[in-house]
Amino acid sequence: MALLYITRKEHFNAAHQLWDSNLTEEENFEMFGKCANPNFHGHNFDLFVCVKGEPDKNTGLVMDLKILKKIIREQVTDELDHQNMNLDVSWLKGQMPSIENISIAIWKRIAPYLPVGVKLHKITLWETQNNFVEFFGEGL
Ligand code: NI
């Protein structure tokens, strides 16, 4: 049977600050740029969740994208949208809210809810028009 990859895109906006308390203020701004601003700032995040599987004999679908949308919204975007990711989100507590760490956390929140026979393949998270992260679950 053919193996296919399907993707659902969702959107959220959220605030964060990237700050390493082991660094000086100057070093933090050198490392994180404007993301180190002390009073937080927002980004419009685009999240792409890609799953893989074989199309069902009857429906022709790898999975119902309405179900994938529901999983993403309940597990991730409803939790993050309009929140401060340093302060408000229990499953990001104690972590630097970089798109790298957010992507790993998103992977862990979505993978357990996928239907039998469907596997999470990739989390892609865009933070700006220029910067994005891809995570394939490697090293978990
Ligand atoms: Ni930022």
Side-chain angles (χ1 to χ4, degrees):
M1 276 287 271
L3 184 66
L4 292 99
Y5 298 76
I6 60 170
T7 299
R8 173 77 193 180
K9 178 188 178 190
E10 290 291 330
H11 178 83
F12 63 96
N13 58 60
H16 74 168
Q17 181 201 18
L18 300 182
W19 188 270
D20 180 349
S21 55
N22 296 309
L23 303 179
T24 65
E25 184 173 336
E26 192 186 351
E27 288 168 337
N28 269 293
F29 276 98
E30 195 174 329
M31 175 68 73
F32 301 117
K34 289 178 180 174
C35 281
N37 280 346
N39 290 331
F40 306 101
H41 60 277
H43 292 281
N44 286 306
F45 293 91
D46 283 321
L47 169 63
F48 298 81
V49 176
C50 176
V51 302
K52 64 181 172 184
E54 294 174 352
D56 180 86
K57 278 198 185 77
N58 298 314
T59 65
L61 304 177
V62 171
M63 88 173 271
D64 183 342
L65 283 173
K66 290 191 299 296
I67 295 173
L68 184 55
K69 165 182 149 184
K70 188 165 185 281
I71 295 168
I72 299 168
R73 291 195 177 176
E74 287 179 0
Q75 295 303 314
V76 179
T77 52
D78 288 352
E79 297 258 322
L80 296 179
D81 195 37
H82 287 69
Q83 299 296 319
N84 181 316
M85 296 191 292
N86 295 79
L87 302 177
D88 298 332
V89 182
S90 62
W91 44 274
L92 292 176
K93 276 270 156 66
Q95 295 188 54
M96 184 82 78
S98 62
I99 44 174
E100 289 86 339
N101 284 342
I102 300 164
S103 297
I104 295 167
I106 289 173
W107 180 287
K108 291 176 180 170
R109 288 188 64 81
I110 290 175
Y113 294 94
L114 295 176
V116 174
V118 177
K119 286 223 159 58
L120 187 52
H121 176 63
K122 180 169 69 166
I123 297 293
T124 307
L125 186 60
W126 285 80
E127 183 175 57
T128 68
Q129 290 189 355
N130 303 98
N131 299 337
F132 70 98
V133 158
E134 295 176 298
F135 183 50
F136 294 85
E138 292 167 341
L140 272 189

